[in-house]
C-alpha cells in the first residue's frame, strides 16, 4: 500500500570510482566480515554469525594504510586502519556511528579511524556509545560530497561496498 500510495522522495546515491552504492563503503579492520562470514552460518545463526566472525577478526593483527586524502577541499595525510563512508546512521546493527544523518542532503558521512591496538578498539567503541565522534582521539569525522583517497601502496584488502567485496584494486579511490 505504501509503495502505491506513498510519496516519492529522492535519496543520495554515492559513487566510488563510478560504481554506485546507497548504504556503506568501508576498508580496514572488521570490514571483511560482511562477505567473509559463510552463508550457511548466516542462515543458521543470523546476527551471531557476524559476531563470531568479528571476534576472529578482532584477534588478527591490525593493519594501517598510509593515505593522502582530500575532503571538503582540504588535503591531508594519515595512517588509518578503518575507513567508513555511509549514508546511514545504523551500520552493522550499531546506532552509534553518525548522528543527524539525512538521506537527501547531497552529503555522506566519513569516519577515519586510527586503531593501533585492540585496547584502542575497545576504548573507541565504548566512547562511541556516549560521545560525538568528533571528540574522540584517533577518529576523524567529516560530512562531504566528495572525498579522494590516494593510497601509498596498492591495497591487498578489498573495499566492502554495500556488503559486497569491491575487487577493483587501485591506489586511488574517489567518492562522490
Amino acid at each position: 500500500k505504501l509503495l502505491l500510495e506513498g510519496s516519492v522522495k529522492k535519496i543520495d546515491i554515492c559513487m566510488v570510482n563510478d560504481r554506485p552504492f546507497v548504504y556503506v563503503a568501508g576498508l580496514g579492520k572488521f570490514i571483511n566480515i560482511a562477505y567473509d562470514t559463510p552463508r550457511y552460518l548466516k542462515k543458521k545463526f543470523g546476527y551471531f554469525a557476524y559476531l563470531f566472525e568479528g571476534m576472529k577478526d578482532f584477534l588478527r593483527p591490525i593493519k594501517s594504510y598510509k593515505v593522502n586524502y582530500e575532503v571538503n577541499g582540504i588535503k591531508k595525510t594519515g595512517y588509518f586502519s578503518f575507513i567508513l563512508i555511509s549514508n546511514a546512521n545504523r551500520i552493522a546493527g550499531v546506532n552509534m556511528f553518525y548522528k543527524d544523518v539525512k538521506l537527501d542532503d547531497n552529503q555522506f558521512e566519513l569516519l577515519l579511524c586510527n586503531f593501533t591496538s585492540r585496547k584502542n578498539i575497545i576504548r573507541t567503541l565504548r566512547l562511541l556509545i556516549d560521545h560525538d565522534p568528533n571528540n574522540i582521539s584517533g577518529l576523524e569525522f567529516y560530512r562531504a560530497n566528495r572525498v579522494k583517497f590516494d593510497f601509498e601502496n596498492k591495497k591487498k584488502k578489498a573495499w566492502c561496498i554495500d556488503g559486497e567485496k569491491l575487487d577493483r584494486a587501485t591506489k586511488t579511490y574517489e567518492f562522490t
Side-chain angles (χ1 to χ4, degrees), residues 14-32:
C14 300
M15 303 288 282
V16 54
N17 295 357
D18 298 321
R19 183 191 187 275
F21 68 97
V22 294
Y23 173 52
V24 67
L27 173 73
K29 193 75 172 157
F30 302 115
I31 295 299
N32 60 315

Side-chain angles (χ1 to χ4, degrees), residues 86-141:
S86 178
N87 234 354
N89 59 2
R90 182 177 174 89
I91 299 168
V94 180
N95 282 348
M96 62 183 132
F97 286 103
Y98 310 119
K99 309 295 184 224
D100 303 320
V101 172
K102 304 217 177 352
L103 300 177
D104 60 355
D105 62 355
N106 196 33
Q107 293 195 344
F108 48 81
E109 286 65 34
L110 168 64
L111 184 65
L112 303 167
C113 305
N114 187 6
F115 299 137
T116 55
S117 69
R118 291 181 189 98
K119 182 179 175 182
N120 286 135
I121 294 171
I122 293 168
R123 179 190 65 81
T124 302
L125 289 174
R126 186 180 53 78
L127 287 173
L128 274 171
I129 294 170
D130 297 323
H131 297 83
D132 183 343
N134 292 305
N135 301 324
I136 300 174
S137 176
L139 298 184
E140 291 184 31
F141 175 77

Side-chain angles (χ1 to χ4, degrees), residues 52-117:
F52 178 71
E53 193 67 34
M55 286 304 300
K56 287 178 15 185
D57 197 42
F58 179 77
L59 297 173
R60 292 183 186 116
I62 299 170
K63 172 154 177 50
S64 289
Y65 300 95
K66 183 177 182 186
V67 62
N68 297 311
Y69 61 103
E70 182 178 342
V71 60
N72 295 329
I74 300 168
K75 294 181 180 184
K76 295 185 172 188
T77 299
Y79 286 88
F80 301 104
S81 55
F82 181 78
I83 299 172
L84 199 62
I85 298 169
S86 178
N87 234 354
N89 59 2
R90 182 177 174 89
I91 299 168
V94 180
N95 282 348
M96 62 183 132
F97 286 103
Y98 310 119
K99 309 295 184 224
D100 303 320
V101 172
K102 304 217 177 352
L103 300 177
D104 60 355
D105 62 355
N106 196 33
Q107 293 195 344
F108 48 81
E109 286 65 34
L110 168 64
L111 184 65
L112 303 167
C113 305
N114 187 6
F115 299 137
T116 55
S117 69

Side-chain angles (χ1 to χ4, degrees), residues 41-51:
L41 289 179
K42 293 176 191 177
K43 284 184 173 185
K44 188 171 184 178
F45 299 111
Y47 185 71
F48 292 106
Y50 293 105
L51 291 176

